[in-house]
Amino acid sequence: MGYNWQWYQIPKYIYRYTDNGFQFGELMFGLWTTITLSFSAFALAVILGLLLALLRLSGLFIGTKVAVCFLEFVRNIPLLVLVYLFYYVLGPVFKYDRYTASILCLAVYHSALISEILRAGINAVAQGQWEAAKSIGMSKAQMYRYIILPQSIRFMLPPMTGEVIHMVKSSAIVSVIAVAELTTLGQNIISDTYMAFEIWFTIAVIYMIVIMILSIGASQVERRYTVTN
Amino acid sequence: MSYTSPIINFESVDKFYGNFHALKDITISVNSGERMVICGPSGSGKSTLIRCINGLENHNSGKLTVDGVEVFEGSKDIIRLRQEIGMVFQQFNLFPHLTVLENLTIGPIKVRKISKPEAEIMARKYLERVHIPEQAEKYPAELSGGQQQRVAIARSLCMESKILLFDEPTSALDPEMINEVLDVMVELADTGMTMVCVTHEMGFARKVADTMVFMDEGKIIEVAPPEKFFSKPDSDRCREFLEQILEH
């Protein structure tokens, strides 16, 4: 094939020793951005998703309609288009930077998926639990807070961990608006060095390791939760 | 005769599930301190009737007042009213993610805004009352059906409500556990609390009821004190029913 492999170049993008001692390389900074980006977006998505799910379950005509419209709107647009929309259209209007745009976009996209997970989890709690909570005079907010949500976590946890992983993976797409996360930094290095093969392989492996760690962590959490329950 | 005002009052109440006429022109009242037992074949509307009292079901027409407050769909007072109405369910409906003690205290703490230590003292008192003080730290799933139902009764008692509703409290229990629950209910009846109880336990009914009610096809067929109810009920339908369930 005639490709000039230069694997020996790769470690310096991960870590290096300089006069100042140990330093992380560009790819590790990119990974850090990927992680912080994903987790901030995920936290926001859970809050938004919970609001959506509660709105959908509220029984209010308008609430349900708003939630369903939002859900259909987000679900039927490609994520890439949503990224462009949030950066090139809403960005200038509301004056936020690319990093904020990427967090908002990922949060909105995943909130739609998460709201469905939450809704299914809430619906999985037995009807009798609502009745018992009502019968001791709880308000709707108290029923959710003390009785329903704590029980539905058990049903939500497995699909939710899948959603975290999905989030980390789909965060790569914000490289199209040049947010300095793992994929973007990889592209930058390639345009400097033309080491496409080595860098893409390395990036794939980094994503894989992160996601495997997440999966292991998730199954630990799940196991612990079912035992105490 | 001492004057007692009705604490629960149904006036021509009707209830539909779609086209199904579940309650037909129900007019009945329960006095403060009265113990009423409702029986009847399944599908006769007894559970629907009792569930209307605390607004778990909403009636479609007629007037229902409980403790001086009108109950209707979308009522803002219903949440406050429910604090005065305890309910014990056929399927216990304990909160599985909370310990027995937490099941008992969550209402007093979160709804009645009582301090935690105070609520726990009260919870232990009522656990004593239902004869299972030693189970306080366990989770509901670790208890037998009879114990779970007694916890559910204690949970209602902890709200210190004026009225207790029982919706077939022993129907989901194994036969050998029915008596431990009924014993607790008899003891409760002796305290003078207003009780409305849907049950087929006629021995219990005979012991505690002030008033017996027989329902069939969504209608109240017979209302009588237990002596008359069990010896010479007015309606044939009621007599047939009693013969069937008292046979064995």
Side-chain angles (χ1 to χ4, degrees), chain A residues 157-175:
Chain A
L157 222 48
M160 257 334 202
T161 54
E163 208 46 41
V164 177
I165 288 162
H166 186 185
M167 175 73 93
V168 173
K169 286 193 280 186
S170 60
S171 73
I173 207 162
V174 303
S175 61

Side-chain angles (χ1 to χ4, degrees), chain A residues 136 138 146-147, chain B residues 95 98 102-111:
Chain A
I136 57 173
M138 284 194 172
Y146 301 113
I147 307 301
Chain B
F95 306 130
L98 302 177
E102 289 166 338
N103 262 279
L104 266 58
T105 55
I106 193 157
I109 293 173
K110 302 301 177 193
V111 179

